[in-house]
Amino acid sequence: MTTRSTDTVAVIDAKGDTARMLVVLDQWVERGWLRALDAGFARFLWTEEPQAPPLLVLAAALASHQLGRGHVCLDLQATLDDPAFALSLPPDGPQALAAPEPPQAPAEVLAGVNLARWLAALDQPALVGTEAGNTPLVLIGTRLYLRRYWQYEQDVRAGIERRLAASAQMEASLQADSARTALDALFPPRPANATGADWQKLACALAARSAFSIVTGGPGTGKTTTVVRLLALLQTLALGAAAGNPLRPARPLRIRLAAPTGKAAARLNESIAGAVEKLPIEALPNGAAVREAIPTVVATLHRVLGTRPDSRRFRHDAGNPLPVDVLVIDEASMVDLEMMAAVLDALPASARLILLGDKDQLASVEAGAVLGELCQRAGEGHYTPATRDWLLAATGERIDAARIDEHGTALDQSIAMLRESHRFSAQSGIGQLAALVNAGDAAGVAQVWKHGHADLALLVCSAQDDASFRALVIDGYGGAAASDQLFGANGEPGRPRHGYRHYLQTMRERQPERDAGPLAFDAWAGEVLKAHGEFQLLCALRRGPWGVEGLNKRVARLLQEEGLIAARGEWYPGRPVLVTRNDYELGLMNGDIGITLELPGAPQESSVLRVAFPAGDGMGGIKWVLPSRLQAVETVLALTVHKSQGSEFMHAALVLPDTFSPILTRELVYTGITRARAFLTLAIPEGKPVLDQAVCANVQRASGLMAGFGSVQ
């Protein structure tokens, strides 16, 4: 094991020994502060350019490391202001104890270094460029990129700007009165006591006149309903224009629906069919044709773009564009920078791109927070007077004066934020808690538990306290303000809330007789999967006693002690598994959840195990898979908040760890809270201020994406 050198500080000297800096990087790897990949990249640059100074090698390692933490680049000034932020401190795992003596901290290595000195060290044209070229690193101002990610950022910005420019022509061709007729048919008059503007209607109008549009909003604000009516509006306008032009064939728009993960795609698949069926088409011309022209099948982005084995590139790109007129991407907060660049590259110049998502949710696991960055100003609106006047004519809706800005940008005019939650009422504790967390109001969060909300419970527990934790995971109860098993969120009195006992009992008690047909076993599997969706334990970390690894073992032990599962090796009846990598051969996507069930075997076999997954066909079908064919799955008695994105559970229990980590942010807590559809239990460690710390910490991802969006509409 490498030990700390007594004169390591010498490595920061501009003429110092770069080899010593590499020793420090190796020590950081051993400690878990840096990835081996990052140190390896820095060493590669040194072999390519032996004269590379220590501060350049350090910057290269940190720039690589930022990608693994979701950042697109390394902000040199921000790193000098807070050196510890540049590394994974503390690391998420036991490797923190790997070295007997702590290595030199980033603050020590950077002591005495100022921005001018660091920039001077990066003045190495063979390794660091400024835009076009083939250098491995790109320096823009104080932002240092790996070239590939600088190019992705350029491509995304340019792709959006081209569509924003095309929107001016699209707006000129769309008559406000034509939009008004269709929108009034799609949006029946609101109740007399309704207050404020109808933002769903406004969102449809904004998107209809733009080649690039975003509809953002929290859970239950009606994003799916809005996009279905938007698609109905677009098809109405397209078919109407064709009907009025004998030289134009009456062809509906080619629309594709996509989501980043299989789970998100399946969920949208289920909800969009119902929304299409409920469309108020009676007053629309060609209403039946319009409904028929709205797709209800949702695919993953990887499937839409066409994956290539062993390649980062897709089958569809600028040379082979997607055959679409409109592409809708749901859960867009999960789309990373590289994927967004691929989407924009594959879209025909004439196609519309519509993004749906919650701007306040966790960003993608990979580098970039595209939706969050694009929606930085969504809450304030920043609509120009011209946009306000057009929207009034097209919708009859008046925008508050506070949301008008004569200096609003072209991007501002393409974004609509839905503001009214139809899932959480004004009395909903989940809704109030989510809003307080989103606002970073730690004092308000502390007070919300005192109001006795029927859909909230706070459980204070410790790693040694099995009694209260057992009550939570087995039967779903315990905690302040929740002494019984019934809750009445949103006016639903007496609804039972569940833990994991519910799905395991459903598995045992509802299992068909051995000679029942396949349809009976499909129906049984559907019941078990539905029951499993009633409850999910969520956590922030992968490792440690409060991470996925520790909680999976702890919950499995409690379920065994309760006699609910009988683990027989890796696979056993009732084992829930999460797919962690797309498997196109099996038709399973990253994020899919299945349950291991026992089926009748051949006459010589008593039973066989199969894993039941929702077929994702919107019809409640079941996909049965041999366990041996699942190459990338993990037990999912506990699920990270990151992996839960795109999912909802009737009762979600969010467990926070007993020590603070950079992973704990208000975005993570907000995302975990809003996975709960009807009831939330928040489990926090006794005597630890991690909830307050998390609420006060927000995700800050280094990026330069917004540097180019400054033009006024």
Side-chain angles (χ1 to χ4, degrees):
M1 182 182 302
T2 307
T3 57
R4 176 174 170 177
S5 171
T6 57
D7 61 344
T8 315
V9 177
V11 300
I12 67 169
D13 192 291
K15 298 180 181 179
D17 184 356
T18 301
R20 294 185 187 178
M21 180 63 81
L22 293 170
V23 169
V24 174
L25 298 183
D26 289 339
Q27 291 174 336
W28 287 354
V29 171
E30 290 180 359
R31 189 70 174 179
W33 293 354
L34 193 71
R35 302 178 303 176
L37 172 69
D38 310 321
F41 175 65
R43 193 175 299 276
F44 166 76
L45 295 186
W46 182 48
T47 60
E48 291 294 302
E49 185 60 43
Q51 300 305 311
L55 285 176
L56 188 152
V57 169
L58 173 64
L62 294 180
S64 173
H65 188 62
Q66 299 320 293
L67 295 175
R69 302 175 65 234
H71 301 277
V72 177
C73 57
L74 173 72
D75 188 319
L76 300 175
Q77 185 60 65
T79 302
L80 290 173
D81 293 340
D82 183 9
F85 181 74
L87 295 179
S88 297
L89 300 174
D92 175 19
Q95 69 269 48
L97 302 177
E101 181 183 1
Q104 196 172 23
E108 294 178 75
V109 174
L110 289 169
V113 176
N114 57 30
L115 182 61
R117 185 177 179 187
W118 208 349
L119 290 173
L122 295 175
D123 186 12
Q124 295 286 322
L127 298 179
V128 183
T130 57
E131 301 192 7
N134 59 1
T135 56
L137 298 170
V138 177
L139 180 65
I140 305 296
T142 64
R143 300 189 305 273
L144 183 67
Y145 296 82
L146 271 64
R147 175 163 292 280
R148 183 153 54 91
Y149 282 85
W150 172 81
Q151 190 62 58
Y152 290 148
E153 192 171 271
Q154 300 303 302
D155 292 345
V156 168
R157 184 190 300 117
I160 294 174
E161 285 180 333
R162 283 194 298 270
R163 293 179 188 283
L164 292 176
S167 298
Q169 181 179 355
M170 194 170 285
E171 177 189 347
S173 65
L174 176 58
Q175 298 298 316
D177 56 351
S178 299
R180 179 69 179 267
T181 301
L183 284 168
D184 284 348
L186 289 166
F187 289 88
R190 302 174 77 199
N193 61 351
T195 59
D198 185 342
W199 278 98
Q200 291 189 7
K201 192 174 185 180
L202 287 166
C204 288
L206 280 167
R209 67 178 203 152
S210 182
F212 173 80
S213 57
I214 299 175
V215 179
T216 187
T221 51
K223 294 186 290 293
T224 301
T225 300
T226 300
V227 78
V228 166
R229 296 190 185 188
L230 168 58
L231 297 179
L233 170 64
L234 294 177
Q235 292 290 27
T236 299
L237 295 172
L239 294 172
N245 183 356
L247 300 178
R248 178 177 177 178
R251 178 182 69 81
L253 298 171
R254 298 166 299 173
I255 300 172
R256 291 294 302 270
L257 307 176
T261 67
K263 184 67 177 177
R267 190 167 144 251
L268 180 61
N269 215 42
E270 294 168 0
S271 60
I272 206 163
V276 170
E277 187 61 32
K278 295 175 183 176
L279 264 177
I281 62 169
E282 295 76 13
L284 287 175
N286 301 319
V290 167
R291 175 179 284 163
E292 186 68 23
I294 299 174
T296 56
V297 176
V298 187
T300 64
L301 274 173
H302 284 84
R303 187 176 291 278
V304 169
L305 294 176
T307 54
R308 290 179 172 177
D310 303 319
S311 172
R312 300 180 77 101
R313 298 187 63 82
F314 294 97
R315 186 164 53 86
H316 288 290
D317 55 19
N320 179 31
L322 288 165
V324 298
D325 300 306
V326 180
L327 177 63
V328 178
I329 302 178
D330 192 27
E331 296 289 355
S333 63
M334 301 166 65
V335 180
D336 61 85
L337 183 70
E338 181 179 2
M339 177 59 78
M340 190 63 74
V343 167
L344 289 162
D345 187 46
L347 272 181
S350 59
R352 297 173 185 263
L353 177 60
I354 302 168
L355 305 181
L356 306 178
D358 185 345
K359 69 180 181 64
D360 297 314
Q361 269 193 194
L362 274 172
S364 60
V365 175
E366 304 299 329
V370 179
L371 186 76
E373 290 185 72
L374 294 174
C375 292
Q376 285 176 2
R377 289 155 55 97
E380 297 80 23
H382 296 282
Y383 300 113
T384 63
T387 297
R388 173 199 60 199
D389 296 343
W390 189 91
L391 288 173
L392 178 60
T395 67
E397 299 291 327
R398 296 182 182 275
I399 298 177
D400 293 343
R403 305 194 194 284
I404 307 303
D405 178 3
E406 62 180 12
H407 300 297
T409 67
L411 179 63
D412 294 328
Q413 316 313 303
S414 70
I415 300 174
M417 180 174 170
L418 306 182
R419 303 161 193 277
E420 180 183 356
S421 176
H422 303 281
R423 180 183 307 168
F424 303 129
S425 68
Q427 292 74 41
S428 165
I430 296 175
Q432 292 181 33
L433 180 61
L436 290 166
V437 168
N438 223 354
D441 186 353
V445 169
Q447 291 296 316
V448 79
W449 308 103
K450 300 178 181 180
H451 300 311
H453 291 292
D455 57 349
L456 286 180
L458 180 66
L459 179 65
V460 179
C461 56
S462 69
Q464 292 74 39
D465 177 16
D466 262 359
S468 58
F469 189 72
R470 179 192 298 268
L472 171 63
V473 299
I474 301 296
D475 292 308
Y477 60 92
S483 58
D484 58 45
Q485 294 190 68
L486 303 181
F487 64 93
N490 294 333
E492 297 178 3
R495 183 185 181 92
R497 74 178 190 268
H498 298 293
Y500 286 137
R501 184 194 300 275
H502 178 54
Y503 92 88
L504 291 166
Q505 282 189 335
T506 301
M507 178 186 72
R508 290 186 177 182
E509 297 172 1
R510 305 302 295 271
Q511 185 171 11
E513 296 294 330
R514 181 181 177 88
D515 57 355
L519 291 179
F521 282 95
D522 281 0
W524 169 56
E527 287 185 81
V528 176
L529 286 164
K530 181 180 179 182
H532 180 265
E534 290 280 324
F535 175 76
Q536 181 63 57
L537 193 68
L538 304 175
C539 57
L541 308 178
R542 292 281 311 164
R543 301 182 180 90
W546 297 106
V548 163
E549 294 177 0
L551 288 175
N552 267 329
K553 293 176 182 177
R554 187 178 180 186
V555 174
R557 173 177 59 80
L558 294 174
L559 293 174
Q560 289 179 53
E561 291 173 359
E562 199 73 17
L564 293 171
I565 61 172
R568 302 193 299 261
E570 182 182 9
W571 291 98
Y572 52 87
R575 181 193 178 194
V577 294
L578 174 80
V579 176
T580 59
R581 187 173 65 239
N582 292 344
D583 188 327
Y584 293 101
E585 182 180 350
L586 295 177
L588 297 175
M589 298 293 116
N590 184 8
D592 286 351
I593 291 178
I595 307 293
T596 311
L597 298 174
E598 214 167 28
L599 297 179
Q604 65 273 21
E605 297 178 288
S606 58
S607 64
V608 294
L609 293 179
R610 296 290 185 272
V611 184
F613 292 91
D617 55 5
M619 305 297 291
I622 299 296
K623 186 191 303 288
W624 296 95
V625 182
L626 274 167
S628 60
R629 297 194 66 192
L630 294 170
Q631 302 302 310
V633 295
E634 58 187 32
T635 302
V636 69
L637 293 168
L639 177 66
T640 63
V641 174
H642 266 105
K643 288 285 188 180
S644 75
Q645 287 180 267
S647 302
E648 291 178 351
F649 309 96
M650 292 301 291
H651 176 192
L654 175 59
V655 181
L656 298 185
D658 55 1
T659 57
F660 184 71
S661 163
I663 293 173
L664 287 173
T665 63
R666 73 180 61 150
E667 289 85 356
L668 182 139
V669 176
Y670 169 83
T671 303
I673 289 169
T674 54
R675 297 314 88 202
R677 186 171 182 83
F679 195 90
L680 172 79
T681 299
L682 183 62
I684 61 175
E686 186 175 11
K688 300 297 177 74
V690 290
L691 177 57
D692 288 352
Q693 291 173 297
V695 170
C696 294
N698 65 313
V699 172
Q700 295 178 343
R701 290 198 167 180
S703 164
L705 179 63
M706 296 306 295
F709 290 114
S711 59
V712 177
Q713 173 74 3

